[in-house]
């Protein structure tokens, strides 16, 4: 049994007197430690699939299993607890809290998770060091470049030591050189801690360098290629 299994997943959104289908019978299996891309044209369902895998939204029908645990039947409270301990998120827009420093942004999830303050600070400092920002811990987001802000967002996503990292167009707002740096960082994280990563991207260079890519078209996986 794989780390993540998706079985016959459908998602539709109501619009006036009809339902708009977005995902139509997704089947996939991802192994622990894989770095998997989701590629496809705009509107193919990449972000919707990530939101469902991240338990930020519920499918219309179908199953999502993590390590054999069927999560789609969980209550909202149980899903929130599962999400907080199991999944880290990185989005195209960094969603950093502008009034707080890089260090404070990274340690915030640990404080919310009721970690002791000293442990939260220690984790945050270690992660900022890992992403190359130990010298920028006291800076606020407005004082950081786009690439630095995304590195802070990655560190924040990892502070609770999740088993899965979901990234939605993590280089979409970055120039090519900075985007390459983010890719290298995510790959080094995968190698160092073995975290499973699922990355939605339009970046064809990225797609060719990931372990595998799922190609979405019209809400379905049309191919799954080892690259």
């Amino acid at each position: 049994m794989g780390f993540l299994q998706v079985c016959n997943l459908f998602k539709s959104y109501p619009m006036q007197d009809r339902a708009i289908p977005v995902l139509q019978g997704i089947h996939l299996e991802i192994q622990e430690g894989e770095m998997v891309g989701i590629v496809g044209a705009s509107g193919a369902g990449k972000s919707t699939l990530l939101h469902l895998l991240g338990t930020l939204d519920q499918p219309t029908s179908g199953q999502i299993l993590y390590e054999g645990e069927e999560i789609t039947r969980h209550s909202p409270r149980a899903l929130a607890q599962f999400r907080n301990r199991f999944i880290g998120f990185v989005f195209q827009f960094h969603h950093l809290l502008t009034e707080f420093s890089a260090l404070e942004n990274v340690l915030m999830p640990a404080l919310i998770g009721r970690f002791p303050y000293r442990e939260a600070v220690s984790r945050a400092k270690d992660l900022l060091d890992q992403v190359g920002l130990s010298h920028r811990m006291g800076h606020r987001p407005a004082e950081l470049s786009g690439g630095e802000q995304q590195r802070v967002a990655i560190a924040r996503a990892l502070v609770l030591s999740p088993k899965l990292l979901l990234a939605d167009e993590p280089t979409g707002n970055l120039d090519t050189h900075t985007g390459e740096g983010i890719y290298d960082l995510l790959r080094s994280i995968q190698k160092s801690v073995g975290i499973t990563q699922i990355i939605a991207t339009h970046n064809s260079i990225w797609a060719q360098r990931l372990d595998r890519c799922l190609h979405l078209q019209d809400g379905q996986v049309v191919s799954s290629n080892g690259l």
Side-chain angles (χ1 to χ4, degrees):
M1 181 173 292
F3 170 77
L4 165 62
Q5 290 180 302
V6 173
C7 306
N8 205 28
L9 196 68
F10 285 81
K11 180 62 179 179
S12 298
Y13 292 99
M15 182 174 289
Q16 297 179 349
D17 59 345
R18 62 194 180 104
I20 304 298
V22 179
L23 299 179
Q24 304 185 68
I26 298 288
H27 292 269
L28 62 90
E29 184 168 332
I30 292 173
Q31 301 303 319
E32 187 170 7
E34 274 195 292
M35 193 172 186
V36 178
I38 301 176
V39 300
S42 295
K46 299 188 298 298
S47 293
T48 298
L49 179 56
L50 277 191
H51 287 177
L52 295 179
L53 297 180
T55 74
L56 297 173
D57 197 0
Q58 288 277 53
T60 302
S61 62
Q63 294 181 312
I64 301 172
L65 296 92
Y66 283 109
E67 299 179 329
E69 179 183 0
E70 216 274 81
I71 64 164
T72 48
R73 299 177 181 175
H74 287 1
S75 69
R77 180 182 178 85
L79 280 176
Q81 292 173 342
F82 172 83
R83 183 165 58 244
N84 290 339
R85 66 179 169 82
F86 201 92
I87 302 174
F89 297 91
V90 179
F91 299 101
Q92 179 176 351
F93 300 100
H94 319 111
H95 300 299
L96 300 178
L97 299 172
T98 58
E99 66 272 29
F100 294 104
S101 68
L103 178 62
E104 290 166 335
N105 268 279
V106 174
L107 67 83
M108 195 71 67
L111 293 181
I112 293 172
R114 299 185 179 180
F115 280 72
Y117 182 76
R118 288 186 178 181
E119 182 180 350
V121 171
S122 177
R123 284 183 176 225
K125 286 183 175 180
D126 286 347
L127 284 165
L128 284 168
D129 183 52
Q130 288 180 41
V131 302
L133 290 177
S134 57
H135 62 300
R136 305 284 270 167
M137 292 186 187
H139 291 73
R140 295 184 180 184
E143 301 171 308
L144 303 174
S145 69
E148 288 172 334
Q149 290 184 53
Q150 194 63 298
R151 287 172 179 267
V152 173
I154 291 169
R156 180 183 60 188
L158 297 173
V159 74
L160 296 181
S161 301
K163 291 188 175 183
L164 173 66
L165 184 68
L166 298 177
D168 193 358
E169 297 288 355
T171 63
N173 285 326
L174 304 176
D175 61 74
T176 301
H177 176 73
T178 305
E180 281 292 300
I182 295 298
Y183 167 82
D184 291 340
L185 172 62
L186 291 175
R187 179 62 86 177
S188 70
I189 290 169
Q190 181 210 21
K191 290 180 178 178
S192 64
V193 300
I195 188 171
T196 306
Q197 299 184 44
I198 304 175
I199 302 167
T201 181
H202 281 107
N203 189 315
S204 59
I205 296 175
W206 267 53
Q208 294 170 14
R209 295 166 63 188
L210 300 175
D211 299 336
R212 186 158 56 98
C213 267
L214 308 174
H215 295 254
L216 287 189
Q217 182 177 318
D218 299 327
Q220 296 180 316
V221 177
V222 295
S223 65
S224 178
N225 302 325
L227 298 171

